[in-house]
Amino acid sequence: DSGVTQTPKHLITATGQRVTLRCSPRSGDLSVYWYQQSLDQGLQFLIQYYNGEERAKGNILERFSAQQFPDLHSELNLSSLELGDSALYFCASSVAVAQGAGNSPLHFGNGTRLTVT
Amino acid sequence: DAKTTQPPSMDCAEGRAANLPCNHSTISGNEYVYWYRQIHSQGPQYIIHGLKNNETNEMASLIITEDRKSSTLILPHATLRDTAVYYCIVRGGNAGNMLTFGGGTRLMVKP
């Protein structure tokens, strides 16, 4: 158990809909990362937050947004869903993002499997 | 971040050591070598990481060459539960230090 909790585990929805994925980081971790894994793309970095502020952005679509709350949990919002958004969405957390933080491993949750029909 | 090169697949007999190689010839001085594995669509699992020195923990050993251009992850006594995709990742030491995953090595442990 990595200590990172993601809910829900499975989500089935229709095209055009909006969903929210939730992540609770490990106790004491201030940084949260979101990744997408689809069959043909591998693990793709979406976005990173540190202590409530956005710190880095990857290939995140404009239809997607995220935030990190004062209690450090994070939500990933996916809107106007398309069939191609079907994927596993992983959240990870680490202790810090600053100089020397490369020495702090990321710990991943077990993901949310999103199916868009 | 430096890119890595790993063989796409490897086999290993159960009970034997699994040695997974990784090339990272463009690694910079402040970049760490990380290893993760992913078992059948579960979340990636952290295994080990290092900067210059060899490292060992309860899961594995990491051997980094002196020039740091390559490394080897060693699972000393592979079991069937070690069957997974193993990712070698070079990660910067400073801000914006997300992990960039490549294709990894699919390790099949056979009875």
Side-chain angles (χ1 to χ4, degrees), chain A residues 35 37 100-104 106, chain B residues 34 36 38 43 49 91 93 97 99:
Chain A
Y35 283 79
Q37 185 174 35
N103 198 22
S104 301
L106 274 64
Chain B
Y34 273 78
Y36 281 78
Q38 188 174 26
H49 76 283
R91 181 186 184 206
N97 54 356
L99 297 171

Side-chain angles (χ1 to χ4, degrees), chain B residues 98-110:
Chain B
M98 75 292 293
L99 297 171
T100 301
F101 288 82
T105 296
R106 184 172 298 276
L107 176 69
M108 181 74 71
V109 180
K110 299 183 174 180

Side-chain angles (χ1 to χ4, degrees), chain B:
Chain B
D1 291 348
K3 291 186 176 179
T4 63
T5 303
Q6 300 179 253
S9 64
M10 291 181 62
D11 289 344
C12 177
E14 188 179 19
R16 303 296 295 269
N19 296 279
L20 291 89
C22 179
N23 286 321
H24 31 78
S25 59
T26 59
I27 192 170
S28 300
N30 68 343
E31 290 180 318
Y32 292 81
V33 179
Y34 273 78
W35 284 84
Y36 281 78
R37 72 181 182 183
Q38 188 174 26
I39 299 172
H40 190 54
S41 298
Q42 296 177 20
Q45 180 186 21
Y46 166 74
I47 300 173
I48 199 167
H49 76 283
L51 184 62
K52 296 179 182 177
N53 300 320
N54 298 338
E55 303 286 345
T56 296
N57 62 22
E58 65 279 3
M59 289 184 68
S61 295
L62 173 61
I63 308 298
I64 303 175
T65 58
E66 193 170 343
D67 63 7
R68 303 210 321 126
K69 292 185 177 182
S70 66
S71 60
T72 301
L73 178 75
I74 301 172
L75 308 178
H77 305 287
T79 70
L80 298 179
R81 290 184 296 178
D82 292 322
T83 293
V85 178
Y86 287 77
Y87 297 97
C88 170
I89 302 166
V90 171
R91 181 186 184 206
N94 296 324
N97 54 356
M98 75 292 293
L99 297 171
T100 301
F101 288 82
T105 296
R106 184 172 298 276
L107 176 69
M108 181 74 71
V109 180
K110 299 183 174 180

